Amino acid sequence: MGRFMYIHFDDEVPDYIEKEYNKMLRKEKYLDEKEIENGRVYPDFDDVLLMQPDPDSLPINEIEEENQKRYRKRLEILPFALEMLKENYYKGYVLIYDYYLSGDNVTLTYLVNRYGLSFDTVRYRLRAAKEKLKQYIILYENIC
């Protein structure tokens, strides 16, 4: 253990408080030395903040801003894509609507029981419907 400097207080502070305080300091110093000896060094909060700043304080870069614009535009296109899905693949539209847009917490088990299909069929139709929605959105983006 390194050298410890005992801290003396004024006469106004009782001796037991001074002893307890120095005991705590001595224990802290001992623990710090043991952590360094064992390779465990913990950074200060300011060091962490410099290395990993708060995401809210960072400026949004151009790529992220572009991604956000694309996301908002795709949300605007979604109703048109759903209408196209309804016209071209009604079975998938019904499943998508029930599973995602009904507002209830719908499970695959509920869909299986409601439509009398197997799990695999429901999963396949949902996947196919989502893929078609994605294609319709990309198609609409490329046209506009």
Side-chain angles (χ1 to χ4, degrees):
M1 188 165 153
R3 190 163 171 89
F4 176 74
M5 298 296 289
Y6 192 90
I7 297 177
H8 296 280
F9 295 118
D10 294 335
D11 292 336
E12 299 167 357
V13 178
D15 286 342
Y16 72 93
I17 292 179
E18 180 179 305
K19 287 179 184 176
E20 192 63 34
Y21 179 77
N22 280 294
K23 186 177 171 184
M24 279 187 349
L25 284 181
R26 197 168 47 243
K27 177 110 177 164
E28 265 184 45
K29 186 172 176 76
Y30 171 77
L31 290 174
D32 287 343
E33 289 174 357
K34 281 296 180 188
E35 287 176 351
I36 290 172
E37 186 178 301
N38 293 325
R40 295 182 186 162
V41 179
Y42 300 103
D44 293 334
F45 178 75
D46 295 331
D47 296 339
V48 171
L49 199 57
L50 285 175
M51 296 301 290
Q52 297 175 347
D54 182 21
D56 293 336
S57 67
L58 294 175
I60 297 177
N61 63 18
E62 295 84 26
I63 296 171
E64 183 63 29
E65 188 173 346
E66 188 176 317
N67 287 342
Q68 288 179 1
K69 284 180 184 177
R70 185 181 311 118
Y71 177 74
R72 286 191 296 270
K73 185 160 179 72
R74 286 181 175 175
L75 283 179
E76 292 172 7
I77 296 171
L78 186 61
F80 302 113
L82 281 169
E83 282 301 315
M84 289 177 68
L85 184 67
K86 187 176 183 179
E87 292 172 10
N88 298 330
Y89 188 53
Y90 188 74
K91 292 177 183 178
Y93 169 78
V94 171
L95 288 175
I96 289 282
Y97 186 83
D98 284 346
Y99 195 66
Y100 293 107
L101 304 174
S102 68
D104 298 331
N105 289 334
V106 176
T107 62
L108 284 177
T109 307
Y110 172 79
L111 294 176
V112 165
N113 293 335
R114 180 170 181 188
Y115 296 108
L117 303 170
S118 68
F119 277 102
D120 292 334
T121 305
V122 170
R123 224 179 275 126
Y124 173 77
R125 286 185 182 173
L126 278 173
R127 190 177 324 122
K130 285 191 288 186
E131 192 60 38
K132 285 184 186 277
L133 268 177
K134 183 179 176 182
Q135 290 172 358
Y136 294 151
I137 289 172
I138 292 171
L139 177 71
Y140 197 87
E141 278 180 340
N142 292 337
I143 291 172
C144 295

